[in-house]
Amino acid sequence: MKRRKLTTLLLGSILVLSACSNAADNTANNAGNNADAGKNNAETAVGKQDPYAPMAEQVTISIGKEAAVDPKLPSGSTVEDNELTRYFSEKLNIKYVDDWQATSSGDAYRQKVSLSLTGGDLPDVIVVDKQQLVQLVNADMLEDLTGVYENYVSPSLKAAYDSTNGYSLNSATFDGKLRAFPNVSPGADAENLLWVRQDWLDELNLPAPKTLDDIIAVTKAFQKKKGASGILGTQQIVNIGNSQYGFDTIFSAFDAYPELWVKDEQGKVVYGSIQPQMKEALAKLQDMVKEGLIDKEFAVKKPEQATELIVSGKAGIFFGPWWLPYSPLNDAVSQDSKAEWAAYLAPEGKEGKMNTHLAAASASYLVVRKGYEHPEAVLKTLNMQFDIDQLQGEGIVEMDPYQWMNMPFTLLLSNYDDKEKKALAVQSVIDGSAAVDTLQGEAKQVYESYLKDKETPKKDMAAWSQRNAFLTGALILAGDGVSQKQGVFYDQTDTMRGKWANLQKLEDETMLKIIMGSESVDYFDSFVEKWKSQGGDQITEEVEAQINK
Amino acid sequence: MGKKSNALQYHLMLAPGMVFIIIFGIIPLFGIAIAFQDFIPVKGITGSKWVGFDNFIYMFQLDDSKRILFNTLYISILKMIMQVLVPVGTALLLHELVFNRSKRWFQTIIYLPHFLSWVILAGILTDMLSAQGIVNKIVKGLFGDTVFFLGSNFWFPIVVVLSDVWKEFGFNAIIFLAALTAINPSLYEAAEIDGAGRLRKIWSVTLPGILPTIVLITTLNIGQVLNAGFDQIYNLYNPLVYQSGDIIDTYVYRIGLVQYQFGLATAVGSMKSLVGFVLIFISYRLAAKYANYRIF
């Protein structure tokens, strides 16, 4: 008797469950059908259109919105409804509705996106990463944007996309169809400079560091005479994107490009981390750790701990991107107003230039739900977003402080050489070779910051930061002292999805062990063997195939 | 008749609980299907490709699998032993304290770390264990050289176990303190009359008195043996100590959530559940046999 009840219960629950899953299937199918029914009418629109013309009738765009952690809005304004969004609405006759918002802190936004994707419940517009883009394309859930792009893109946005030599648009194109509007992040962000305490350098009468040996000499002097720590480092030795305190340029000085897919001399695709040049670089790093030039505790350090050393005046030499004056160098200078920071293109490679890797120009993608009736409204918004961001909201934002994330879509769009270009423009005004009124937007702000900081040095830290980030950091990247290495592949292949985690772990462990000296440099050879046999060779073939496609 | 309607009432009372279990406990179990798929979130479970046992086969091919399983067991068994020995010792010491007020003081102070999260404690620990940290200052004074605690495969598991004990022993001692109060005082009086000293009383009265509790706690912990503590290790480890510190949970986190390999991560995770289930089964039998602990 008892048993039969139990069976009934079980059967009952299974029935309920299967009913549930069928229902889910049906809705998914319906959604698919609807999508097909609502074939886009953009394809029917022919020829170039005014990229800024308002929509004939008001249209609504629902957005899965990534919001700034600190949107800096006065009371009454919201992320969804503020000076910027109102301006867009008015100019373009578009209503922007946030389906949901998630902040960019931690994983909140990414998780929210995953959730919408799994639920098959896409807003009209959402920003996804490359892997999610590929998934969405494979599931055929995205609008074809090829025609919309051709007909509606503004000249300035097109120029920005063209500044990546086609990389951006190619990475969003599948079978000849444009499936997303990619972001364009400034190339300068991935290039590391050597940041040095210039006042110490002057005090100790040391020449500007150029080669790796110079860097070592400076570090030794700082340690001995200033009681400073060695070259800063963190757990992350190398990072192709943002490599604060990374050793990337030490590797590239030896012409080694870890974590980057590059072409070798025969034009074959190879993975940078397993190239023979790595051995030399690793041996050098091992020596530097042995000599105490790099604190061996770098392996357990998080970036915050390294930053602490800078702010407390205990570090005088390390690698980092052009924007370090915004943080943490501004804090360091507030603590000690005598501190002067300078950036150098060092260490030099064999050709006398600083070698540096470049990151993928695009890593996030604005996609439009398949079946959305007005994809051109989306592109019109982007056209305007680009222009307004170039002007830093000038003429629009009066009450609110400008924050680009408060625009309708959270997609960063800039020229690939944005920072270098602006720094050069400002410098030529300072030199007197150009007129002040040639400057606009951010460049104008930089010039104002320069004047303000020159007048009363280090009083207004915001001005100090902006002046130094551009005129100390970005400016030297604009010269011809840099030799840039572009990777040939920044995506994932099929086999990578299964085996990359394991290879990555192998790589991380090996590099750290060799640098720390717990394994000899020759251990590198057995790492290469292992890497190849555990799927690396197969992945290399796939990468080669994808590039030649 | 009357009896029957009563039964119906009881079943109705059970219903909300059952619904909860079905929604939050049973339905999610179907997610294990992911382990047999090349899972792609957009396509969902129904749309992703089935790959049979591929994920499991790959899991057993990885060099890491054995090491990770070993680390998990090694760390958690060490933790299990220490988490009984230290709290029992603490409880006994507290029990022997004559002054009730200082007893409460001690108790409060030693269980305070239990309420801090590992994120905070890991920050404190990394500072304390760094080359300039307080621990290494003492070590240097005694042995003349510093120890790289968080970067050494020998020291890392020890740091993990000891810091876990430090965080939890005060809190775990509470159960044993409770068990101690249940011992009949007349037994102590009788022992005193027989001429027993302090140690003798502990050995012959106190310990036998709390032995069932010790056995019960230990056997119940066996079911937890594959939980070596994600929070703690994730916040403390780095690639240098993957070899000795990478446990199933941190591995699943890295490959599953960081690298999007949901299929493989679920396979590893469900393997853990399976072994955990067997261990719970064993520990339940042991608890029934030695501590007379039964649910049904």
Side-chain angles (χ1 to χ4, degrees):
Chain A
M1 192 58 202
K2 225 179 184 179
R3 177 158 297 169
R4 191 186 295 164
K5 259 189 193 156
L6 192 66
T7 332
T8 330
L9 185 70
L10 271 177
L11 277 178
S13 46
I14 288 171
L15 272 178
V16 171
L17 281 175
S18 46
C20 286
S21 57
N22 278 343
D25 267 352
N26 288 340
T27 36
N29 285 339
N30 285 343
N33 292 339
N34 288 345
D36 284 338
K39 266 278 173 214
N40 74 49
N41 30 10
E43 283 169 26
T44 51
V46 193
K48 271 263 169 219
Q49 308 285 323
D50 178 0
Y52 300 103
M55 303 297 291
E57 276 169 40
Q58 195 189 49
V59 300
T60 306
I61 303 179
S62 69
I63 305 159
K65 166 104 181 169
E66 179 178 2
V69 178
D70 174 20
K72 296 183 192 152
L73 289 164
S75 70
S77 287
T78 62
V79 171
E80 191 177 7
D81 177 29
N82 58 57
E83 269 181 300
L84 283 163
T85 55
R86 280 195 293 271
Y87 179 82
F88 278 92
S89 281
E90 210 172 286
K91 287 277 169 193
L92 295 173
N93 199 19
I94 299 171
K95 200 171 154 215
Y96 302 97
V97 181
D98 291 354
D99 245 18
W100 47 261
Q101 294 173 357
T103 62
S104 47
S105 91
D107 265 350
Y109 178 74
R110 220 186 74 176
Q111 280 168 4
K112 193 79 201 186
V113 172
S114 296
L115 212 63
S116 326
L117 299 196
T118 338
D121 172 29
L122 281 183
D124 296 334
V125 161
I126 194 170
V127 177
V128 299
D129 65 22
K130 183 69 192 263
Q131 275 165 314
Q132 291 164 334
L133 172 67
V134 173
Q135 290 177 0
L136 284 165
V137 169
N138 289 339
D140 195 23
M141 288 168 81
L142 299 182
E143 189 68 40
D144 176 5
L145 301 167
T146 323
V148 178
Y149 179 79
E150 277 162 14
N151 294 335
Y152 288 93
V153 71
S154 73
S156 53
L157 182 58
K158 187 171 186 306
Y161 278 134
D162 291 344
S163 71
T164 66
N165 290 326
Y167 175 85
S168 292
L169 290 178
N170 276 341
S171 72
T173 305
F174 296 82
D175 295 328
K177 287 178 182 153
L178 185 68
R179 293 294 190 170
F181 299 119
N183 76 325
V184 181
S185 49
D189 286 0
E191 301 176 46
N192 266 7
L193 302 163
L194 178 74
W195 287 93
V196 184
R197 269 294 286 266
Q198 185 64 38
D199 53 326
W200 291 359
L201 212 59
D202 295 342
E203 188 189 321
L204 302 174
N205 236 339
L206 292 162
K210 269 186 178 166
T211 63
L212 196 47
D213 289 333
D214 295 346
I215 293 177
I216 291 172
V218 169
T219 311
K220 275 185 182 155
F222 281 4
Q223 283 179 318
K224 208 177 283 166
K225 308 248 173 67
K226 283 287 164 191
S229 78
I231 300 172
L232 292 183
T234 66
Q235 278 178 26
Q236 195 141 35
I237 312 166
V238 166
N239 184 344
I240 302 296
N242 159 27
S243 188
Q244 209 174 339
Y245 318 134
F247 301 142
D248 310 45
T249 41
I250 296 186
F251 282 101
S252 53
F254 291 92
D255 221 15
Y257 296 92
E259 295 188 12
L260 194 68
W261 291 94
V262 291
K263 284 208 167 147
D264 69 359
E265 277 139 25
Q266 284 89 47
K268 271 190 63 175
V269 175
V270 291
Y271 185 55
S273 298
I274 60 162
Q275 296 314 301
Q277 296 95 312
M278 287 290 292
K279 261 179 105 165
E280 268 179 90
L282 286 170
K284 190 77 194 177
L285 281 167
Q286 197 187 51
D287 281 349
M288 289 167 77
V289 171
K290 215 178 279 169
E291 280 187 67
L293 295 164
I294 298 170
D295 177 8
K296 73 172 181 179
E297 297 216 354
F298 81 88
V300 299
K301 270 208 185 98
K302 305 213 157 79
E304 305 89 77
Q305 287 162 308
T307 299
E308 253 172 51
L309 288 174
I310 299 176
V311 175
S312 60
K314 291 201 185 84
I317 187 163
F318 47 86
F319 299 98
W322 67 277
W323 48 259
L324 283 193
Y326 283 112
S327 165
L329 296 187
N330 57 343
D331 294 330
V333 172
S334 315
Q335 289 290 321
D336 175 9
S337 61
K338 285 197 293 291
E340 296 285 348
W341 289 94
Y344 291 99
L345 295 177
E348 283 176 348
K350 287 181 190 101
E351 267 94 62
K353 286 185 176 189
M354 183 189 79
N355 298 331
T356 178
H357 55 59
L358 293 176
S362 303
S364 57
Y365 297 85
L366 184 110
V367 297
V368 178
R369 173 178 64 83
K370 183 161 189 170
Y372 180 66
E373 295 84 356
H374 302 288
E376 71 278 9
V378 177
L379 185 53
K380 280 181 179 177
T381 310
L382 279 184
N383 287 336
M384 253 171 72
Q385 283 204 181
F386 179 78
D387 298 346
I388 289 173
D389 193 41
Q390 284 299 304
L391 292 172
Q392 299 276 292
E394 217 175 77
I396 299 155
V397 174
E398 275 147 29
M399 283 119 66
D400 310 355
Y402 175 71
Q403 158 68 280
W404 71 272
M405 292 182 88
N406 290 339
M407 293 195 283
F409 307 141
T410 315
L411 188 76
L412 185 65
L413 288 166
S414 86
N415 284 297
Y416 196 55
D417 54 356
D418 184 60
K419 304 304 166 193
E420 297 93 319
K421 225 160 88 183
K422 283 173 181 160
L424 274 182
V426 175
Q427 187 60 42
S428 55
V429 171
I430 294 170
D431 295 343
S433 57
V436 183
D437 52 18
T438 55
L439 299 178
Q440 269 193 319
E442 197 173 17
K444 199 163 108 192
Q445 288 179 3
V446 175
Y447 183 64
E448 280 159 10
S449 292
Y450 161 79
L451 292 178
K452 211 186 269 176
D453 190 57
K454 206 176 140 204
E455 185 90 355
T456 52
K458 293 174 185 165
K459 279 286 173 306
D460 181 343
M461 284 320 289
W464 181 90
S465 303
Q466 196 172 35
R467 172 190 181 177
N468 281 284
F470 277 89
L471 299 176
T472 310
L475 188 63
I476 54 172
L477 286 172
D480 55 0
V482 188
S483 157
Q484 296 173 326
K485 187 83 164 182
Q486 181 79 57
V488 289
F489 184 77
Y490 293 100
D491 294 338
Q492 264 207 321
T493 66
D494 285 343
T495 311
M496 262 171 150
R497 275 204 300 125
K499 302 196 165 157
W500 198 245
N502 181 38
L503 292 177
Q504 189 109 53
K505 177 180 170 179
L506 185 70
E507 184 180 329
D508 288 352
E509 267 181 317
T510 309
M511 300 303 158
L512 264 181
K513 275 183 183 164
I514 294 177
I515 296 175
M516 302 286 295
S518 58
E519 294 281 357
S520 78
V521 179
D522 290 326
Y523 180 67
F524 181 77
D525 299 327
S526 71
F527 155 71
V528 175
E529 284 302 305
K530 260 198 226 162
W531 189 89
K532 287 180 160 191
S533 64
Q534 291 185 3
D537 272 343
Q538 196 184 343
I539 291 168
T540 311
E541 272 169 38
E542 285 176 0
V543 172
E544 177 107 54
Q546 285 222 14
I547 290 170
N548 298 330
K549 202 164 66 176
Chain B
M1 187 61 205
K3 213 178 169 190
K4 234 183 182 174
S5 62
N6 259 346
L8 183 69
Q9 281 174 15
Y10 290 136
H11 278 103
L12 275 178
M13 283 168 73
L14 266 180
M18 291 294 286
V19 170
F20 260 75
I21 289 183
I22 289 172
I23 293 177
F24 294 110
I26 310 230
I27 294 179
L29 280 182
F30 288 85
I32 290 178
I34 293 172
F36 302 96
Q37 285 188 326
D38 179 12
F39 182 70
I40 292 167
V42 182
K43 295 182 180 169
I45 293 180
T46 43
S48 297
K49 207 170 74 200
W50 294 92
V51 294
F53 281 94
D54 277 10
N55 286 323
F56 288 92
I57 293 167
Y58 180 61
M59 177 174 90
F60 286 113
Q61 277 171 349
L62 288 176
D63 308 352
D64 298 333
S65 312
K66 282 169 226 123
R67 203 160 75 186
I68 290 160
L69 189 65
F70 173 81
N71 289 342
T72 312
L73 288 172
Y74 177 67
I75 291 175
S76 59
I77 287 173
L78 270 182
K79 273 186 181 175
M80 211 169 79
I81 295 169
M82 295 296 281
Q83 283 299 11
V84 171
L85 286 186
V86 179
V88 167
T90 317
L92 288 178
L93 285 176
L94 279 178
H95 192 61
E96 295 299 317
L97 269 183
V98 188
F99 305 107
N100 254 326
R101 263 182 85 180
S102 47
K103 197 162 147 185
R104 284 208 200 110
W105 258 101
F106 276 122
Q107 217 180 316
T108 311
I109 288 170
I110 60 179
Y111 82 47
L112 269 181
H114 169 79
F115 296 101
L116 294 176
S117 78
W118 273 115
V119 180
I120 297 167
L121 286 181
I124 298 173
L125 273 175
T126 30
D127 269 352
M128 278 170 60
L129 297 174
S130 75
Q132 290 82 36
I134 182 159
V135 177
N136 263 320
K137 281 199 176 123
I138 298 169
V139 172
K140 198 169 183 186
L142 291 176
F143 304 102
D145 203 5
T146 57
V147 177
F148 192 16
F149 286 104
L150 294 175
S152 138
N153 281 309
F154 173 75
W155 286 104
F156 188 75
I158 296 175
V159 168
V160 167
V161 172
L162 289 184
S163 58
D164 183 62
V165 168
W166 167 60
K167 184 176 186 300
E168 301 295 344
F169 81 99
F171 197 76
N172 291 343
I174 292 174
I175 295 172
F176 298 111
L177 277 172
L180 283 171
T181 57
I183 298 172
N184 189 345
S186 61
L187 289 174
Y188 288 108
E189 285 158 24
E192 234 163 278
I193 290 168
D194 286 346
R198 262 197 165 185
L199 285 177
R200 187 74 217 180
K201 273 193 283 182
I202 292 178
W203 184 249
S204 301
V205 181
T206 318
L207 273 180
I210 59 169
L211 192 62
T213 315
I214 296 176
V215 173
L216 180 66
I217 298 284
T218 317
T219 44
L220 287 182
N221 279 346
I222 295 177
Q224 295 287 315
V225 87
L226 289 180
N227 288 331
F230 172 81
D231 287 358
Q232 182 191 13
I233 292 182
Y234 177 73
N235 282 303
L236 284 173
Y237 81 161
N238 60 74
L240 268 184
V241 290
Y242 279 168
Q243 199 179 331
S244 64
D246 208 7
I247 55 168
I248 296 179
D249 291 329
T250 50
Y251 188 71
V252 168
Y253 171 79
R254 277 208 318 278
I255 60 173
L257 293 176
V258 180
Q259 305 264 357
Y260 293 103
Q261 291 183 53
F262 301 104
L264 183 60
T266 316
V268 179
S270 59
M271 204 57 208
K272 182 187 153 186
S273 310
L274 197 71
V275 179
F277 176 74
V278 172
L279 289 170
I280 286 176
F281 187 76
I282 294 172
S283 64
Y284 179 65
R285 293 309 278 276
L286 287 176
K289 199 168 173 192
Y290 293 108
N292 211 14
Y293 174 84
R294 278 194 179 80
I295 301 174
F296 301 111

